[in-house]
Amino acid sequence: MEQVNEDILGAARKVIAVHINYPSRASQRGRTPAQPSYFLKPSSSLSLSGSSVERPAGCELLGYEGEIALVIGKAARRVGIADAWSHVAAVTASNDLGVYDLRYADKGSNVRSKGGDGFTPVGPALIPADAIDPAKLRIRTWHNGDLVQDDTTEDLLFPFARLVADLSQLLTLEEGDIILTGTPAGASVAKPGDVLEVEVTTADGGLTTGRLTTRVEEGTTPFADFGAGPKVDDLQREEAYGSREAAGLPAPASVLTPELKAKLESVATATLSSQMRKRGLNNVSIDGLQATRPDRRVVGLARTLRYVPNREDLFKTHGGGFNAQKRAIDSVNEGEILVMEARGEKGTGTVGDILALRAQVRGAAAIITDGGVRDYTAVAGLEMPTYFANPHPAVLGRRHIPWDTDITIACGGATVQPGDIIVADSDGILVIPPAIAEELVDDCIIQEQEETFIFEMVKQGNSVDGLYPMNNEWQAKYKEWDGSHND
């Protein structure tokens, strides 16, 4: 196979990169684009395998992203998807390097953060485009010998032919131009002295680009004071490393602390409901559902998923692949509750055994849907409770399109926002605004203590007149009783 050389690099007039294209990366980023978006990298950023790349002086976060690069073989202008692949001459490995320290100054263009000299190594060999199925490629990245990225092109959000066709609608792709097609999950940060390797192969391993190797060096020339200098914060560190944990950052403080969760688990839903009613909140219950585990009581933060009514043309674009339903399931975190808006439509399943199991494996506290459940026996056999309208054998596409996630939804007659606190048990399901949770549960504890006293007094034969609710005389007796029980 032909090796990538200086002549090939010199033929590239444009380097165009795609922001997000792999479902694994979309899940990691928490956002999935409906259409591809792009940025330009200068051709001067190109380099060959075996080259070194400089982490600029004063910078902390040199991010690496293993990618598959398309090399355009003949000019493409306003081509269709069916014809687009014929304009690609070859594929090779690439590494979309960039410094997160300068992202703040780029306003989304990535010119400085990703345009540095040597920030786009490619090679070492070209795989002819006519010898491969573009949907059956594998990409892997190694960081100091450790495999950190490993994915395939089988389920891309935007297949390669679509990228070529889409770009050609507005600009001419010229012979030699390079398209970077996105990176899978696992991209992270490299430091001076590190060695990065990227390899693209066919799925069966029969054809390979060989390993694209890049060594990181420390820059010694500081930035001039007449331009934007390096600047980072914890958000950029999290973005660069892929997670707060990988960046060595503490987990964000949750409104649902272990102490608050324990309090909410200790009080009855009826008490919570009455205290919210006293605060003017009368429409905070998710109604009309049954539970697979009515013996369980769950407390957790809401994640949300919305289904819209099925429309066949839209289901083709939003129903398949790593759709909103799968993204929601695959991103739910430990202790969270996935709440689904299905418009009360009972004529199809909104979750089945495999996805419910995936949610349980990820640590979800529960699933709540005001639609149907498929594979009811298997779902009911899980440890994780599912709250649902009824069992139904039909698949999702009969009535629904999974549309979007982590937005305000309606479920069982209640409005639910991401981050709301959900308390669910056999008595019902309540949606608690996080801002009032601490005060609310403290008042619930007091109310239940008072009701314990009232119950004992009634048990002893006292009339409820003046006792329930308590008048001044009974209030005084309660204070004396409470003091003796809390000494």
Side-chain angles (χ1 to χ4, degrees):
M1 287 183 290
E2 183 179 4
Q3 297 292 300
V4 177
N5 55 39
E6 293 286 358
D7 291 339
I8 292 172
L9 298 190
R13 299 179 64 179
K14 296 187 291 294
V15 180
I16 305 170
V18 179
H19 281 109
I20 294 178
N21 198 14
Y22 285 79
S24 61
R25 179 72 161 177
S27 177
Q28 185 182 49
R29 285 292 199 230
R31 57 184 184 272
T32 300
Q35 302 292 341
S37 62
Y38 313 92
F39 60 93
L40 287 168
K41 300 188 76 170
S43 58
S44 56
S45 70
L46 292 166
S47 64
L48 297 171
S49 182
S51 301
S52 295
V53 66
E54 180 182 284
R55 186 182 74 176
C59 289
E60 173 188 337
L61 304 174
L62 176 66
Y64 61 83
E65 299 176 1
E67 306 205 11
I68 298 172
L70 311 183
V71 181
I72 298 299
K74 63 179 179 178
R77 176 67 167 134
R78 295 196 176 103
V79 301
I81 292 176
D83 183 49
W85 189 246
S86 69
H87 292 262
V88 178
V91 303
T92 191
S94 65
N95 197 335
D96 182 17
L97 296 160
V99 281
Y100 283 73
D101 311 61
L102 296 175
R103 289 177 83 195
Y104 77 97
D106 268 346
K107 303 297 184 184
S109 71
N110 290 336
V111 169
R112 299 180 76 229
S113 61
K114 290 212 170 195
D117 289 352
F119 277 20
T120 316
V122 292
L126 297 168
I127 300 176
D130 59 8
I132 61 171
D133 180 345
K136 294 182 179 179
L137 295 175
R138 182 184 186 188
I139 180 168
R140 288 176 291 174
T141 303
W142 292 263
H143 183 185
N144 293 332
D146 294 328
L147 182 64
V148 292
Q149 291 184 289
D150 189 354
D151 213 331
T152 72
T153 57
E154 184 177 3
D155 294 315
L156 292 178
L157 300 175
F158 313 112
F160 294 161
R162 179 174 172 182
L163 298 177
V164 174
D166 182 41
L167 286 165
S168 78
Q169 301 309 300
L170 189 61
L171 54 89
T172 299
L173 295 172
E174 299 163 299
E175 183 179 354
D177 285 352
I178 292 174
I179 301 173
L180 307 185
T181 57
T183 194
S188 189
V189 172
K191 298 178 180 179
D194 289 354
V195 176
L196 302 169
E197 298 170 286
V198 184
E199 182 180 16
V200 177
T201 65
T202 50
D204 61 6
L207 296 174
T208 177
T209 62
R211 290 198 186 185
L212 167 68
T213 303
T214 308
R215 180 177 294 276
V216 181
E217 296 180 348
E218 179 72 272
T220 57
T221 304
F223 282 86
D225 58 7
F226 47 75
K231 183 170 65 175
V232 297
D233 55 24
D234 284 351
L235 175 60
Q236 293 304 320
R237 292 186 179 96
E238 181 180 353
E239 289 268 304
Y241 281 93
S243 69
R244 293 184 66 85
E245 180 181 10
L249 300 171
S254 172
V255 64
L256 189 60
T257 62
E259 294 76 18
L260 176 58
K261 186 172 184 287
K263 288 181 180 180
L264 288 167
E265 289 171 338
S266 73
V267 297
T269 51
T271 311
L272 289 165
S273 179
S274 67
Q275 284 295 331
M276 282 196 283
R277 183 175 175 83
K278 288 181 180 179
R279 290 162 170 79
L281 295 169
N282 296 306
N283 299 293
V284 289
S285 63
I286 297 176
D287 298 331
L289 306 185
Q290 52 186 307
T292 59
R293 296 293 305 271
D295 57 314
R296 298 284 298 276
R297 178 179 177 85
V298 295
V299 177
L301 294 179
R303 296 285 300 277
T304 60
L305 166 64
R306 179 170 70 114
Y307 297 114
V308 297
N310 186 30
R311 204 179 87 183
E312 288 75 7
D313 61 321
L314 294 178
F315 193 88
K316 289 179 181 178
T317 57
H318 289 77
F322 198 59
N323 59 32
Q325 179 197 44
K326 293 176 182 175
R327 295 197 304 271
I329 293 288
D330 219 44
S331 64
V332 68
N333 296 313
E334 183 81 26
E336 293 178 336
I337 296 174
L338 180 58
V339 186
M340 301 179 178
E341 175 186 333
R343 311 175 311 284
E345 169 54 60
K346 301 179 180 180
T348 192
T350 56
V351 69
D353 57 347
I354 292 175
L355 292 184
L357 175 61
R358 175 60 176 160
Q360 176 176 286
V361 168
R362 287 193 57 86
I367 291 175
I368 299 173
T369 174
D370 61 358
V373 164
R374 290 187 75 222
D375 312 306
Y376 171 74
T377 300
V379 173
L382 297 176
E383 283 296 312
M384 178 195 69
T386 295
Y387 299 81
F388 62 103
N390 58 271
H392 201 283
V395 297
L396 183 72
R398 180 171 184 248
R399 298 283 173 82
H400 300 295
I401 306 172
W403 198 255
D404 43 16
T405 62
D406 293 320
I407 60 167
T408 300
I409 65 167
C411 181
T415 297
V416 183
Q417 294 191 300
D420 281 343
I421 296 174
I422 306 294
V423 178
D425 62 14
S426 57
D427 283 341
I429 307 168
L430 295 177
V431 183
I432 300 174
I436 69 167
E438 283 282 3
E439 172 193 316
L440 180 78
V441 74
D442 286 343
D443 286 350
C444 286
I445 291 170
I446 293 171
Q447 178 181 329
E448 291 197 346
Q449 185 78 342
E450 291 176 346
E451 289 177 351
T452 297
F453 168 75
I454 292 169
F455 186 86
E456 288 192 12
M457 294 304 101
V458 171
K459 188 176 181 180
Q460 291 175 15
N462 291 285
S463 170
V464 295
D465 185 26
L467 174 60
Y468 186 54
M470 290 185 287
N471 57 23
N472 290 338
E473 179 182 354
W474 278 112
Q475 285 282 358
K477 292 179 180 179
Y478 166 71
K479 289 180 180 178
E480 181 179 344
W481 176 90
D482 185 50
S484 66
H485 282 72
N486 287 292
D487 288 340

